[in-house]
Structure formats: structure tokens, C-alpha cells
Amino acid sequence: MKRNFLKMGLAAALTLTGVAVVAPQKTVDAATLKAPVKRVQINYLPGKEVKIWTNYQGGQLINFRAKNKSKWNVAETAVDKKGKLWYKIGDNEWIEARYTEDLDDEESANLAATEQIAAKPKKKAKKAKKQKKQPMNQAQAAKPKPNKQETPKPVSATSNNKTPKPAPSKLPTATVPAATGSAAQRAQAVVNLAKSQLGKGYAWGGNGPDNYDCSGLVQSIYNKVAGVQLPRVTTDQVKVGTTVAMDQLQPGDLLYWGSVDAPYHVGIYIGNNQYIHASTPDTGVVLQTLSSYFYPCIAKRVIQ
């Protein structure tokens, strides 16, 4: 009932302004949106998945789905020509609102807090150990100390059993090579860093170091070790580099899915017909093999 009321309200507002067809709101790039409009949960048939489209109106079907009971941030809402309400859940990723249910404020706050904690690197707290002094009894207090203890001896490194240990040096935060060397060396550095991210989580709009979305993973890796400053989202990233034929792929090339001009997904080719990408909230950063079912639309070489 609440959703129907929202549709009627949008249609009525546009009718008053003289617009015959319901128009969408202004497009906002999902990756650049700091605070989501709200959080929703997929409420569909058990074991079924909801289709994701590249656009809410006349878009293309994306090959991966939103699983039932999975939770998503909503970046934007829009209504198509038929009056159906849609939610934008990522870069060029839309789902129909009728297959979702709103999460209540308390659960949304708990989820946001959990994600914020998970995104921060864990730090071990240092516990200071306090030594308790045992009280001396009267006999110990009355007993005079030997004369040899009255004159303290100078302490040397040889006479002291416990030699002072030097303070441990701080380890570097990242053990990845700098963006130097030949194109082949930098491409291999990209592959090595991409492999080290396997198993990390997926977060819509995530830039790391613990959670990424597809374009955030690519931007982070290439900026660090390839010396290539890529844009943030796939529709801008695809404009960088030289187009490569699929039978001439080399490790370090970028693979895109969707349309050539406005792809919705990106991954890193690592050789042997395999690629690494930040897939979905359920799978995170994974390594997969190219297949005819989920085949890229274009490949770009950005390391020259």
C-alpha cells in the first residue's frame, strides 16, 4: 500500500506540472553517492533471484542476479513509463522495487554500523601489564640489608642478563612494488596485487582496503602498481586505453561487460583465460574463467 501511494504521488505531481509521462529523477552515479537513500532487502520467492538491468527503462539484462534476502543500498529511485518504481543499487544497476522490502530504521542503522566497522582495519589493543608489589612483613622490614647491596654496582652490558631489545621497526602497510619498470613488469604487478585481494568483501561504492566494488578494485590496483590513474566508474574507465581483440589478451588487460559505451561491470584479466573481479555482495572478490555465458563486450589495454 505504501509503495502504491508513492507511485500515485509521483504521477499526481507530474500531472500537475503538465507532464504526461512520468519522468525519472536526475541520474546520480552510484559510486559517488556518500549516503544511500535507504536500504532494502530482496523479498522474492525462496531460492529465486531478481533480475538486474542496466537501466530502469529499456535497459539490458545483467548476467548476475540479486539473491533473495540479500540486502542492498538504494542510490536513487525512478519510475518508468508504465508507472513501475525502480531502485538503483549500483553503477548502471537497477531492480524493480516491487521485489524488495524496506529495512526498518533500527536494522538499517545496525547494518551501516557493522559495515563501517568491517571496512576499517582491525587493530590489536595493547594491554599494559601492571605488576603488583607484595607488602613486606615486619621481619623483612626489620632485617638489615647486606653491605654489598648498599653500594650499587655499575651495570654493564656483560653483567646484565637481559640485554635491552631494540624497538621493533614498523612494517610497511603495503608490500606491493612501486609503479616502475617495463609494461610487462607493471602488468605482472597488477596481477599479483589482484590475486592478493581474493576473498575480500564486496561493498557498493567500496574503494578498499577490505571491501570493493568492481570499478573500485580496478582503480585501486592500477593506481598503486601500474602508474595509471583511472577514473572511478566503469563508464569512464572504458574510455581509457587501447581496444584489444579478445584473442590477443594479455595479463593486466581490463575486461568490460554490458555495452561498449556504457559497461556495467569490469574485471582484470590475469592470463590462462581467467580474470579477477569484485563480483557481488555474496561472492566478493573472486577469480573466474571466461565463458560464453558471461562474456565481455570489450577489452582495453591501459598499461603501455
Side-chain angles (χ1 to χ4, degrees):
M1 179 65 70
K2 181 178 180 181
R3 189 174 295 131
N4 292 335
F5 177 78
L6 176 59
K7 294 179 184 178
M8 293 175 62
L10 288 171
L14 292 170
T15 302
L16 289 174
T17 58
V19 181
V21 179
V22 177
Q25 298 178 4
K26 182 180 179 182
T27 302
V28 178
D29 204 344
T32 61
L33 190 65
K34 299 299 182 181
V37 175
K38 61 179 177 179
R39 286 183 64 86
V40 297
Q41 177 174 275
I42 303 298
N43 185 22
Y44 198 43
L45 298 176
K48 298 293 183 180
E49 300 174 343
V50 173
K51 296 179 181 179
I52 304 177
W53 303 81
T54 59
N55 195 289
Y56 66 91
Q57 199 155 251
Q60 296 178 353
L61 182 63
I62 293 177
N63 285 325
F64 58 87
R65 308 285 190 269
K67 291 187 177 181
N68 188 42
K69 301 303 179 184
S70 61
K71 299 176 177 62
W72 299 80
N73 289 334
V74 176
E76 181 186 346
T77 63
V79 180
D80 62 17
K81 294 180 180 180
K82 297 181 180 180
K84 294 181 180 179
L85 181 63
W86 291 74
Y87 291 153
K88 186 175 185 179
I89 59 172
D91 295 332
N92 302 317
E93 298 172 3
W94 293 81
I95 59 175
E96 287 192 60
R98 59 175 174 163
Y99 299 129
T100 69
E101 61 182 359
D102 294 350
L103 296 176
D104 55 49
D105 295 338
E106 182 178 358
E107 184 174 0
S108 296
N110 292 336
L111 285 169
T114 302
E115 290 177 354
Q116 186 176 7
I117 293 173
K120 295 181 179 179
K122 296 181 180 179
K123 296 182 180 179
K124 294 182 179 179
K126 296 181 180 179
K127 296 182 179 180
K129 296 182 180 179
K130 296 181 180 181
Q131 296 180 351
K132 296 182 179 180
K133 296 182 179 180
Q134 299 293 336
M136 295 193 311
N137 53 36
Q138 294 180 355
Q140 291 175 334
K143 186 177 179 179
K145 294 182 180 180
N147 294 332
K148 61 180 181 180
Q149 294 183 0
E150 293 179 359
T151 304
K153 296 180 179 181
V155 179
S156 63
T158 56
S159 63
N160 190 3
N161 293 332
K162 296 182 179 180
T163 57
K165 296 182 180 180
S169 58
K170 294 183 179 180
L171 295 176
T173 56
T175 57
V176 296
T180 57
S182 64
Q185 291 173 332
R186 288 183 288 134
Q188 187 59 47
V190 166
V191 172
N192 294 340
L193 184 54
K195 289 181 178 179
S196 71
Q197 306 305 301
L198 289 173
K200 291 193 175 182
Y202 180 99
W204 167 61
N207 296 311
D210 299 317
N211 299 280
Y212 299 92
D213 63 11
C214 64
S215 56
L217 176 68
V218 167
Q219 183 194 48
S220 174
I221 290 176
Y222 282 78
N223 287 3
K224 284 181 179 178
V225 298
V228 179
Q229 301 295 320
L230 288 174
R232 178 58 181 83
V233 295
T234 55
T235 51
D236 293 330
Q237 289 176 355
V238 74
K239 300 174 184 177
V240 180
T242 305
T243 302
V244 181
M246 296 303 296
D247 59 353
Q248 296 180 1
L249 291 175
Q250 294 180 4
D253 290 343
L254 290 177
L255 305 176
Y256 293 91
W257 286 262
S259 66
V260 174
D261 296 328
Y264 63 83
H265 195 64
V266 63
I268 302 171
Y269 184 73
I270 65 168
N272 197 27
N273 212 34
Q274 295 179 320
Y275 63 98
I276 292 174
H277 64 139
S279 180
T280 66
D282 293 322
T283 58
V285 180
V286 294
L287 182 149
Q288 290 184 311
T289 301
L290 288 171
S291 67
S292 57
Y293 173 73
F294 187 55
Y295 203 71
C297 65
I298 191 173
K300 286 296 187 78
R301 184 166 298 158
V302 298
I303 303 176
Q304 305 293 341

